Short mmCIF file of all heavy atoms in Angstrom, two decimals:
data_model
loop_
_atom_site.label_atom_id
_atom_site.label_comp_id
_atom_site.label_asym_id
_atom_site.label_seq_id
_atom_site.Cartn_x
_atom_site.Cartn_y
_atom_site.Cartn_z
N MET A 5 0.83 -1.18 0.00
CA MET A 5 0.00 0.00 0.00
C MET A 5 0.88 1.24 0.00
O MET A 5 1.94 1.25 0.60
CB MET A 5 -0.90 0.05 1.23
CG MET A 5 -2.10 -0.84 1.18
SD MET A 5 -3.13 -0.67 2.67
CE MET A 5 -2.20 -1.67 3.81
N LYS A 6 0.37 2.26 -0.63
CA LYS A 6 1.03 3.57 -0.68
C LYS A 6 0.14 4.58 0.05
O LYS A 6 -1.03 4.32 0.33
CB LYS A 6 1.25 4.02 -2.13
CG LYS A 6 2.01 3.01 -2.98
CD LYS A 6 3.42 2.88 -2.52
CE LYS A 6 4.19 1.92 -3.44
NZ LYS A 6 5.42 1.47 -2.87
N TRP A 7 0.68 5.75 0.33
CA TRP A 7 -0.08 6.80 1.02
C TRP A 7 -1.38 7.13 0.29
O TRP A 7 -2.37 7.49 0.92
CB TRP A 7 0.76 8.07 1.18
CG TRP A 7 1.81 7.94 2.23
CD1 TRP A 7 3.16 7.91 2.05
CD2 TRP A 7 1.62 7.84 3.65
NE1 TRP A 7 3.82 7.78 3.24
CE2 TRP A 7 2.89 7.74 4.25
CE3 TRP A 7 0.49 7.80 4.47
CZ2 TRP A 7 3.06 7.61 5.63
CZ3 TRP A 7 0.68 7.69 5.84
CH2 TRP A 7 1.94 7.59 6.40
N THR A 8 -1.39 7.02 -1.02
CA THR A 8 -2.59 7.39 -1.79
C THR A 8 -3.68 6.33 -1.74
O THR A 8 -4.80 6.58 -2.19
CB THR A 8 -2.20 7.65 -3.26
OG1 THR A 8 -1.51 6.51 -3.77
CG2 THR A 8 -1.33 8.89 -3.37
N ASP A 9 -3.40 5.17 -1.19
CA ASP A 9 -4.40 4.10 -1.06
C ASP A 9 -5.23 4.30 0.20
O ASP A 9 -5.31 3.41 1.06
CB ASP A 9 -3.70 2.73 -1.03
CG ASP A 9 -2.93 2.43 -2.30
OD1 ASP A 9 -3.42 2.77 -3.38
OD2 ASP A 9 -1.83 1.86 -2.19
N THR A 10 -5.87 5.45 0.29
CA THR A 10 -6.55 5.82 1.53
C THR A 10 -7.62 4.82 1.95
O THR A 10 -7.72 4.50 3.13
CB THR A 10 -7.16 7.23 1.43
OG1 THR A 10 -8.02 7.29 0.31
CG2 THR A 10 -6.07 8.28 1.30
N GLN A 11 -8.40 4.32 1.01
CA GLN A 11 -9.47 3.39 1.37
C GLN A 11 -8.90 2.06 1.87
O GLN A 11 -9.36 1.53 2.88
CB GLN A 11 -10.41 3.15 0.18
CG GLN A 11 -11.62 2.31 0.54
CD GLN A 11 -12.48 2.93 1.63
OE1 GLN A 11 -12.71 4.13 1.66
NE2 GLN A 11 -12.96 2.11 2.55
N ARG A 12 -7.91 1.53 1.20
CA ARG A 12 -7.28 0.28 1.64
C ARG A 12 -6.63 0.44 3.01
O ARG A 12 -6.72 -0.45 3.86
CB ARG A 12 -6.25 -0.19 0.62
CG ARG A 12 -6.88 -0.75 -0.64
CD ARG A 12 -5.85 -1.29 -1.62
NE ARG A 12 -5.03 -2.31 -0.99
CZ ARG A 12 -3.77 -2.56 -1.36
NH1 ARG A 12 -3.20 -1.86 -2.32
NH2 ARG A 12 -3.07 -3.50 -0.76
N ILE A 13 -5.99 1.58 3.22
CA ILE A 13 -5.37 1.85 4.52
C ILE A 13 -6.44 1.92 5.60
O ILE A 13 -6.30 1.33 6.68
CB ILE A 13 -4.54 3.15 4.48
CG1 ILE A 13 -3.31 2.95 3.59
CG2 ILE A 13 -4.13 3.58 5.88
CD1 ILE A 13 -2.54 4.24 3.30
N ALA A 14 -7.53 2.63 5.31
CA ALA A 14 -8.62 2.75 6.29
C ALA A 14 -9.20 1.39 6.64
O ALA A 14 -9.48 1.11 7.81
CB ALA A 14 -9.71 3.67 5.74
N GLU A 15 -9.38 0.53 5.65
CA GLU A 15 -9.90 -0.81 5.90
C GLU A 15 -8.93 -1.61 6.76
O GLU A 15 -9.36 -2.32 7.69
CB GLU A 15 -10.16 -1.52 4.57
CG GLU A 15 -11.33 -0.93 3.81
CD GLU A 15 -11.43 -1.44 2.39
OE1 GLU A 15 -10.60 -2.28 1.96
OE2 GLU A 15 -12.35 -0.99 1.67
N ALA A 16 -7.65 -1.51 6.47
CA ALA A 16 -6.65 -2.22 7.27
C ALA A 16 -6.61 -1.70 8.70
O ALA A 16 -6.48 -2.48 9.65
CB ALA A 16 -5.28 -2.10 6.61
N LEU A 17 -6.72 -0.39 8.86
CA LEU A 17 -6.73 0.18 10.21
C LEU A 17 -7.96 -0.27 10.98
O LEU A 17 -7.88 -0.59 12.17
CB LEU A 17 -6.68 1.71 10.14
CG LEU A 17 -5.36 2.31 9.69
CD1 LEU A 17 -5.51 3.81 9.44
CD2 LEU A 17 -4.26 2.05 10.72
N TYR A 18 -9.10 -0.31 10.31
CA TYR A 18 -10.33 -0.76 10.95
C TYR A 18 -10.19 -2.23 11.38
O TYR A 18 -10.59 -2.60 12.48
CB TYR A 18 -11.51 -0.59 10.01
CG TYR A 18 -12.81 -1.04 10.62
CD1 TYR A 18 -13.45 -0.28 11.60
CD2 TYR A 18 -13.40 -2.24 10.23
CE1 TYR A 18 -14.64 -0.71 12.18
CE2 TYR A 18 -14.59 -2.66 10.79
CZ TYR A 18 -15.20 -1.89 11.77
OH TYR A 18 -16.38 -2.31 12.33
N ASP A 19 -9.59 -3.04 10.51
CA ASP A 19 -9.43 -4.46 10.82
C ASP A 19 -8.46 -4.70 11.97
O ASP A 19 -8.67 -5.59 12.79
CB ASP A 19 -8.93 -5.22 9.58
CG ASP A 19 -10.00 -5.34 8.50
OD1 ASP A 19 -11.19 -5.11 8.79
OD2 ASP A 19 -9.62 -5.64 7.34
N THR A 20 -7.39 -3.90 12.04
CA THR A 20 -6.38 -4.14 13.06
C THR A 20 -6.57 -3.31 14.33
O THR A 20 -6.05 -3.67 15.38
CB THR A 20 -4.96 -3.86 12.51
OG1 THR A 20 -4.91 -2.52 12.02
CG2 THR A 20 -4.60 -4.83 11.41
N HIS A 21 -7.32 -2.21 14.23
CA HIS A 21 -7.52 -1.32 15.38
C HIS A 21 -9.00 -0.95 15.51
O HIS A 21 -9.35 0.22 15.72
CB HIS A 21 -6.67 -0.05 15.23
CG HIS A 21 -5.21 -0.32 15.09
ND1 HIS A 21 -4.43 -0.70 16.17
CD2 HIS A 21 -4.40 -0.29 14.01
CE1 HIS A 21 -3.19 -0.88 15.74
NE2 HIS A 21 -3.15 -0.65 14.44
N GLY A 22 -9.85 -1.96 15.40
CA GLY A 22 -11.30 -1.73 15.44
C GLY A 22 -11.79 -1.14 16.75
O GLY A 22 -12.86 -0.53 16.80
N ASP A 23 -11.01 -1.27 17.80
CA ASP A 23 -11.42 -0.74 19.10
C ASP A 23 -10.99 0.72 19.29
O ASP A 23 -11.32 1.34 20.30
CB ASP A 23 -10.87 -1.59 20.23
CG ASP A 23 -9.35 -1.69 20.20
OD1 ASP A 23 -8.76 -1.47 19.13
OD2 ASP A 23 -8.76 -2.01 21.25
N THR A 24 -10.29 1.27 18.31
CA THR A 24 -9.83 2.66 18.38
C THR A 24 -10.87 3.57 17.73
O THR A 24 -11.38 3.27 16.65
CB THR A 24 -8.48 2.82 17.64
OG1 THR A 24 -7.53 1.95 18.26
CG2 THR A 24 -7.98 4.25 17.68
N ASP A 25 -11.17 4.67 18.38
CA ASP A 25 -12.11 5.66 17.82
C ASP A 25 -11.33 6.58 16.89
O ASP A 25 -10.53 7.40 17.35
CB ASP A 25 -12.75 6.47 18.94
CG ASP A 25 -13.75 7.48 18.45
OD1 ASP A 25 -13.92 7.63 17.22
OD2 ASP A 25 -14.37 8.15 19.29
N PRO A 26 -11.54 6.47 15.57
CA PRO A 26 -10.77 7.28 14.63
C PRO A 26 -11.05 8.77 14.70
O PRO A 26 -10.27 9.57 14.20
CB PRO A 26 -11.14 6.70 13.26
CG PRO A 26 -12.46 6.05 13.47
CD PRO A 26 -12.48 5.59 14.89
N THR A 27 -12.13 9.15 15.37
CA THR A 27 -12.44 10.59 15.46
C THR A 27 -11.57 11.29 16.49
O THR A 27 -11.49 12.52 16.49
CB THR A 27 -13.92 10.83 15.81
OG1 THR A 27 -14.20 10.27 17.10
CG2 THR A 27 -14.83 10.22 14.77
N THR A 28 -10.94 10.53 17.37
CA THR A 28 -10.14 11.15 18.44
C THR A 28 -8.64 10.99 18.25
O THR A 28 -7.87 11.46 19.09
CB THR A 28 -10.53 10.54 19.80
OG1 THR A 28 -10.22 9.14 19.80
CG2 THR A 28 -12.00 10.75 20.10
N ILE A 29 -8.24 10.35 17.19
CA ILE A 29 -6.82 10.05 16.99
C ILE A 29 -6.07 11.27 16.45
O ILE A 29 -6.59 12.02 15.63
CB ILE A 29 -6.65 8.83 16.07
CG1 ILE A 29 -5.28 8.24 16.21
CG2 ILE A 29 -6.97 9.16 14.64
CD1 ILE A 29 -5.16 6.84 15.66
N ARG A 30 -4.86 11.48 16.96
CA ARG A 30 -4.01 12.57 16.46
C ARG A 30 -3.27 12.10 15.22
O ARG A 30 -2.98 10.92 15.06
CB ARG A 30 -3.01 12.99 17.53
CG ARG A 30 -3.66 13.68 18.71
CD ARG A 30 -2.63 13.96 19.74
NE ARG A 30 -1.97 12.66 20.02
CZ ARG A 30 -1.25 12.39 21.07
NH1 ARG A 30 -1.03 13.31 21.95
NH2 ARG A 30 -0.72 11.21 21.26
N PHE A 31 -2.94 13.03 14.36
CA PHE A 31 -2.25 12.68 13.11
C PHE A 31 -0.91 12.02 13.36
O PHE A 31 -0.51 11.13 12.61
CB PHE A 31 -2.08 13.91 12.22
CG PHE A 31 -3.35 14.35 11.53
CD1 PHE A 31 -3.45 15.62 11.02
CD2 PHE A 31 -4.43 13.50 11.38
CE1 PHE A 31 -4.60 16.03 10.38
CE2 PHE A 31 -5.60 13.91 10.75
CZ PHE A 31 -5.67 15.18 10.24
N THR A 32 -0.21 12.41 14.40
CA THR A 32 1.08 11.78 14.70
C THR A 32 0.90 10.29 15.01
O THR A 32 1.68 9.46 14.56
CB THR A 32 1.79 12.48 15.86
OG1 THR A 32 0.91 12.54 16.99
CG2 THR A 32 2.23 13.88 15.47
N HIS A 33 -0.13 9.98 15.77
CA HIS A 33 -0.41 8.58 16.09
C HIS A 33 -0.94 7.84 14.86
O HIS A 33 -0.56 6.68 14.62
CB HIS A 33 -1.40 8.49 17.25
CG HIS A 33 -1.59 7.10 17.76
ND1 HIS A 33 -2.80 6.63 18.17
CD2 HIS A 33 -0.73 6.06 17.91
CE1 HIS A 33 -2.69 5.37 18.56
NE2 HIS A 33 -1.44 5.00 18.40
N LEU A 34 -1.79 8.47 14.09
CA LEU A 34 -2.32 7.87 12.87
C LEU A 34 -1.18 7.51 11.93
O LEU A 34 -1.15 6.42 11.36
CB LEU A 34 -3.30 8.82 12.19
CG LEU A 34 -3.88 8.36 10.86
CD1 LEU A 34 -4.61 7.03 11.00
CD2 LEU A 34 -4.82 9.42 10.30
N ARG A 35 -0.24 8.40 11.78
CA ARG A 35 0.92 8.15 10.91
C ARG A 35 1.68 6.91 11.38
O ARG A 35 2.07 6.06 10.58
CB ARG A 35 1.83 9.37 10.90
CG ARG A 35 3.02 9.26 9.98
CD ARG A 35 3.82 10.57 10.01
NE ARG A 35 4.95 10.51 9.12
CZ ARG A 35 6.14 10.00 9.44
NH1 ARG A 35 6.36 9.52 10.65
NH2 ARG A 35 7.12 9.98 8.56
N GLU A 36 1.89 6.79 12.68
CA GLU A 36 2.58 5.63 13.24
C GLU A 36 1.82 4.33 12.97
O GLU A 36 2.42 3.31 12.64
CB GLU A 36 2.78 5.80 14.74
CG GLU A 36 3.74 6.89 15.11
CD GLU A 36 3.75 7.18 16.61
OE1 GLU A 36 3.06 6.47 17.38
OE2 GLU A 36 4.44 8.13 17.01
N LEU A 37 0.50 4.39 13.11
CA LEU A 37 -0.32 3.20 12.85
C LEU A 37 -0.23 2.78 11.39
O LEU A 37 -0.15 1.59 11.07
CB LEU A 37 -1.78 3.45 13.24
CG LEU A 37 -2.07 3.65 14.72
CD1 LEU A 37 -3.55 3.94 14.93
CD2 LEU A 37 -1.65 2.43 15.52
N VAL A 38 -0.26 3.75 10.49
CA VAL A 38 -0.17 3.45 9.06
C VAL A 38 1.19 2.83 8.74
O VAL A 38 1.28 1.81 8.05
CB VAL A 38 -0.41 4.71 8.20
CG1 VAL A 38 -0.13 4.42 6.73
CG2 VAL A 38 -1.84 5.22 8.37
N LEU A 39 2.25 3.43 9.25
CA LEU A 39 3.59 2.92 8.99
C LEU A 39 3.78 1.50 9.53
O LEU A 39 4.58 0.74 8.99
CB LEU A 39 4.64 3.85 9.59
CG LEU A 39 4.76 5.23 8.94
CD1 LEU A 39 5.72 6.11 9.71
CD2 LEU A 39 5.18 5.12 7.47
N ALA A 40 3.03 1.14 10.55
CA ALA A 40 3.15 -0.20 11.16
C ALA A 40 2.34 -1.26 10.43
O ALA A 40 2.49 -2.45 10.72
CB ALA A 40 2.73 -0.13 12.62
N LEU A 41 1.48 -0.87 9.50
CA LEU A 41 0.69 -1.87 8.78
C LEU A 41 1.62 -2.77 7.97
O LEU A 41 2.53 -2.28 7.28
CB LEU A 41 -0.31 -1.17 7.84
CG LEU A 41 -1.46 -0.43 8.51
CD1 LEU A 41 -2.25 0.36 7.48
CD2 LEU A 41 -2.37 -1.41 9.25
N PRO A 42 1.40 -4.08 8.01
CA PRO A 42 2.32 -5.01 7.34
C PRO A 42 2.38 -4.82 5.82
O PRO A 42 3.42 -5.06 5.22
CB PRO A 42 1.78 -6.39 7.71
CG PRO A 42 0.47 -6.19 8.32
CD PRO A 42 0.34 -4.76 8.73
N ASP A 43 1.30 -4.42 5.18
CA ASP A 43 1.28 -4.26 3.73
C ASP A 43 1.66 -2.87 3.27
O ASP A 43 1.65 -2.59 2.07
CB ASP A 43 -0.10 -4.62 3.16
CG ASP A 43 -0.42 -6.09 3.33
OD1 ASP A 43 0.53 -6.89 3.42
OD2 ASP A 43 -1.61 -6.45 3.38
N PHE A 44 1.96 -1.99 4.20
CA PHE A 44 2.30 -0.61 3.83
C PHE A 44 3.76 -0.55 3.40
O PHE A 44 4.65 -1.01 4.10
CB PHE A 44 2.06 0.36 4.98
CG PHE A 44 2.28 1.78 4.58
CD1 PHE A 44 1.32 2.47 3.88
CD2 PHE A 44 3.46 2.43 4.89
CE1 PHE A 44 1.52 3.77 3.49
CE2 PHE A 44 3.69 3.73 4.51
CZ PHE A 44 2.71 4.40 3.80
N ASP A 45 4.00 0.04 2.23
CA ASP A 45 5.35 0.12 1.69
C ASP A 45 5.50 1.42 0.89
O ASP A 45 5.39 1.42 -0.33
CB ASP A 45 5.64 -1.09 0.80
CG ASP A 45 7.06 -1.08 0.28
OD1 ASP A 45 7.96 -0.58 0.98
OD2 ASP A 45 7.27 -1.58 -0.84
N ASP A 46 5.70 2.50 1.60
CA ASP A 46 5.90 3.79 0.96
C ASP A 46 6.85 4.62 1.82
O ASP A 46 7.11 4.29 2.98
CB ASP A 46 4.56 4.52 0.78
CG ASP A 46 4.59 5.57 -0.32
OD1 ASP A 46 5.67 5.83 -0.89
OD2 ASP A 46 3.52 6.14 -0.62
N ASP A 47 7.34 5.67 1.24
CA ASP A 47 8.28 6.56 1.92
C ASP A 47 7.57 7.27 3.06
O ASP A 47 6.58 7.97 2.83
CB ASP A 47 8.83 7.57 0.91
CG ASP A 47 9.86 8.50 1.49
OD1 ASP A 47 10.11 8.46 2.72
OD2 ASP A 47 10.43 9.29 0.72
N PRO A 48 8.03 7.10 4.30
CA PRO A 48 7.38 7.76 5.44
C PRO A 48 7.32 9.28 5.30
O PRO A 48 6.40 9.91 5.82
CB PRO A 48 8.26 7.37 6.63
CG PRO A 48 8.96 6.14 6.21
CD PRO A 48 9.14 6.24 4.72
N ASP A 49 8.26 9.86 4.59
CA ASP A 49 8.29 11.31 4.44
C ASP A 49 7.29 11.84 3.42
O ASP A 49 7.16 13.06 3.27
CB ASP A 49 9.70 11.77 4.06
CG ASP A 49 10.71 11.49 5.16
OD1 ASP A 49 10.31 11.49 6.34
OD2 ASP A 49 11.89 11.26 4.84
N ARG A 50 6.59 10.97 2.74
CA ARG A 50 5.62 11.42 1.73
C ARG A 50 4.24 11.71 2.31
O ARG A 50 3.34 12.11 1.60
CB ARG A 50 5.51 10.38 0.62
CG ARG A 50 6.85 10.25 -0.14
CD ARG A 50 6.73 9.40 -1.35
NE ARG A 50 5.91 10.11 -2.33
CZ ARG A 50 5.31 9.52 -3.34
NH1 ARG A 50 5.42 8.23 -3.50
NH2 ARG A 50 4.58 10.22 -4.20
N SER A 51 4.08 11.50 3.60
CA SER A 51 2.78 11.79 4.22
C SER A 51 2.72 13.27 4.59
O SER A 51 3.73 13.92 4.80
CB SER A 51 2.58 10.94 5.48
OG SER A 51 3.44 11.37 6.51
N GLY A 52 1.50 13.74 4.66
CA GLY A 52 1.26 15.12 5.06
C GLY A 52 -0.10 15.23 5.69
O GLY A 52 -0.85 14.24 5.76
N GLU A 53 -0.43 16.41 6.15
CA GLU A 53 -1.71 16.60 6.83
C GLU A 53 -2.89 16.25 5.94
O GLU A 53 -3.85 15.63 6.40
CB GLU A 53 -1.82 18.05 7.32
CG GLU A 53 -3.02 18.28 8.20
CD GLU A 53 -3.05 19.66 8.82
OE1 GLU A 53 -1.98 20.22 9.08
OE2 GLU A 53 -4.16 20.17 9.03
N ARG A 54 -2.82 16.61 4.69
CA ARG A 54 -3.95 16.36 3.78
C ARG A 54 -4.20 14.86 3.60
O ARG A 54 -5.33 14.40 3.66
CB ARG A 54 -3.69 17.00 2.42
CG ARG A 54 -4.90 16.91 1.50
CD ARG A 54 -4.67 17.51 0.16
NE ARG A 54 -4.14 18.86 0.25
CZ ARG A 54 -3.59 19.51 -0.76
NH1 ARG A 54 -3.47 18.92 -1.93
NH2 ARG A 54 -3.14 20.73 -0.62
N ILE A 55 -3.14 14.09 3.40
CA ILE A 55 -3.31 12.65 3.20
C ILE A 55 -3.73 11.97 4.49
O ILE A 55 -4.57 11.07 4.48
CB ILE A 55 -2.04 12.00 2.59
CG1 ILE A 55 -2.36 10.59 2.10
CG2 ILE A 55 -0.90 11.94 3.58
CD1 ILE A 55 -3.21 10.51 0.89
N LEU A 56 -3.21 12.40 5.62
CA LEU A 56 -3.62 11.83 6.90
C LEU A 56 -5.08 12.14 7.20
O LEU A 56 -5.81 11.31 7.74
CB LEU A 56 -2.71 12.32 8.02
CG LEU A 56 -1.27 11.80 7.96
CD1 LEU A 56 -0.41 12.54 8.97
CD2 LEU A 56 -1.22 10.29 8.19
N GLU A 57 -5.51 13.33 6.83
CA GLU A 57 -6.92 13.70 7.02
C GLU A 57 -7.82 12.81 6.16
O GLU A 57 -8.88 12.37 6.61
CB GLU A 57 -7.12 15.17 6.66
CG GLU A 57 -8.51 15.66 6.93
CD GLU A 57 -8.66 17.16 6.66
OE1 GLU A 57 -7.77 17.76 6.03
OE2 GLU A 57 -9.69 17.71 7.07
N ALA A 58 -7.40 12.54 4.94
CA ALA A 58 -8.18 11.68 4.04
C ALA A 58 -8.25 10.25 4.59
O ALA A 58 -9.31 9.61 4.54
CB ALA A 58 -7.58 11.69 2.64
N ILE A 59 -7.14 9.76 5.12
CA ILE A 59 -7.12 8.42 5.71
C ILE A 59 -8.03 8.38 6.94
O ILE A 59 -8.83 7.45 7.10
CB ILE A 59 -5.69 8.01 6.09
CG1 ILE A 59 -4.85 7.80 4.82
CG2 ILE A 59 -5.69 6.76 6.96
CD1 ILE A 59 -3.36 7.66 5.08
N GLN A 60 -7.95 9.40 7.78
CA GLN A 60 -8.80 9.44 8.98
C GLN A 60 -10.26 9.47 8.60
O GLN A 60 -11.08 8.74 9.17
CB GLN A 60 -8.44 10.66 9.82
CG GLN A 60 -9.26 10.73 11.10
CD GLN A 60 -8.99 11.98 11.91
OE1 GLN A 60 -8.73 13.05 11.35
NE2 GLN A 60 -9.01 11.85 13.22
N GLN A 61 -10.64 10.26 7.61
CA GLN A 61 -12.04 10.33 7.20
C GLN A 61 -12.51 9.00 6.63
O GLN A 61 -13.63 8.56 6.91
CB GLN A 61 -12.26 11.45 6.18
CG GLN A 61 -13.73 11.66 5.83
CD GLN A 61 -14.59 11.97 7.05
OE1 GLN A 61 -14.30 12.88 7.80
NE2 GLN A 61 -15.63 11.19 7.28
N ALA A 62 -11.68 8.35 5.83
CA ALA A 62 -12.05 7.04 5.28
C ALA A 62 -12.21 6.01 6.41
O ALA A 62 -13.09 5.16 6.35
CB ALA A 62 -10.99 6.60 4.28
N TRP A 63 -11.35 6.11 7.43
CA TRP A 63 -11.45 5.20 8.57
C TRP A 63 -12.75 5.46 9.35
O TRP A 63 -13.44 4.54 9.77
CB TRP A 63 -10.23 5.36 9.45
CG TRP A 63 -10.09 4.38 10.59
CD1 TRP A 63 -10.87 3.29 10.85
CD2 TRP A 63 -9.09 4.40 11.60
NE1 TRP A 63 -10.41 2.64 11.97
CE2 TRP A 63 -9.32 3.30 12.46
CE3 TRP A 63 -8.03 5.24 11.88
CZ2 TRP A 63 -8.52 3.03 13.55
CZ3 TRP A 63 -7.23 4.96 12.98
CH2 TRP A 63 -7.47 3.86 13.80
N ILE A 64 -13.09 6.72 9.52
CA ILE A 64 -14.35 7.08 10.19
C ILE A 64 -15.52 6.50 9.41
O ILE A 64 -16.44 5.90 9.98
CB ILE A 64 -14.47 8.62 10.35
CG1 ILE A 64 -13.46 9.13 11.36
CG2 ILE A 64 -15.91 9.00 10.74
CD1 ILE A 64 -13.30 10.64 11.36
N ASP A 65 -15.51 6.67 8.09
CA ASP A 65 -16.57 6.14 7.25
C ASP A 65 -16.65 4.61 7.36
O ASP A 65 -17.73 4.04 7.38
CB ASP A 65 -16.37 6.55 5.79
CG ASP A 65 -16.51 8.04 5.58
OD1 ASP A 65 -17.08 8.73 6.47
OD2 ASP A 65 -16.06 8.52 4.53
N GLU A 66 -15.50 3.97 7.40
CA GLU A 66 -15.44 2.51 7.51
C GLU A 66 -16.02 2.05 8.85
O GLU A 66 -16.69 1.02 8.92
CB GLU A 66 -13.99 2.05 7.38
CG GLU A 66 -13.79 0.58 7.28
CD GLU A 66 -14.29 -0.04 5.99
OE1 GLU A 66 -14.38 0.66 4.96
OE2 GLU A 66 -14.60 -1.24 6.01
N ALA A 67 -15.79 2.81 9.90
CA ALA A 67 -16.26 2.44 11.23
C ALA A 67 -17.77 2.62 11.40
O ALA A 67 -18.36 2.01 12.29
CB ALA A 67 -15.51 3.25 12.29
N GLU A 68 -18.35 3.44 10.56
CA GLU A 68 -19.79 3.71 10.71
C GLU A 68 -20.63 2.67 10.07
O GLU A 68 -20.82 1.80 9.67
CB GLU A 68 -20.15 5.06 10.07
CG GLU A 68 -19.58 6.19 10.84
CD GLU A 68 -19.86 7.55 10.21
OE1 GLU A 68 -20.23 7.60 9.04
OE2 GLU A 68 -19.68 8.54 10.91
#
């Protein structure tokens, strides 16, 4: 997965961290969770606030 795979990342986060409320997570923690996903393989420096916000929103949508 790459940073632009927001939906796949959100699904993986929901599957591995289903007990976490995505509405309360900080971007710094979200970034760490994404980097720890086993299928994630992208440059850690390519993330930014906009992409993290998109991932968080997709995760919120997935949780609902």
Side-chain angles (χ1 to χ4, degrees):
M5 282 182 281
K6 305 292 183 196
W7 286 112
T8 55
D9 298 321
T10 56
Q11 187 59 42
R12 287 183 57 208
I13 291 171
E15 290 169 1
L17 289 171
Y18 180 74
D19 290 344
T20 57
H21 302 285
D23 58 339
T24 301
D25 181 356
T27 63
T28 62
I29 199 163
R30 291 176 305 198
F31 285 161
T32 53
H33 188 218
L34 177 58
R35 183 178 181 275
E36 292 171 5
L37 293 178
V38 172
L39 292 174
L41 291 172
D43 293 335
F44 185 79
D45 183 32
D46 202 354
D47 183 354
D49 295 330
R50 296 188 69 199
S51 71
E53 188 173 329
R54 187 181 308 165
I55 193 71
L56 291 170
E57 185 176 13
I59 292 169
Q60 182 184 34
Q61 186 58 54
W63 187 6
I64 291 168
D65 294 343
E66 188 69 25
E68 291 177 344

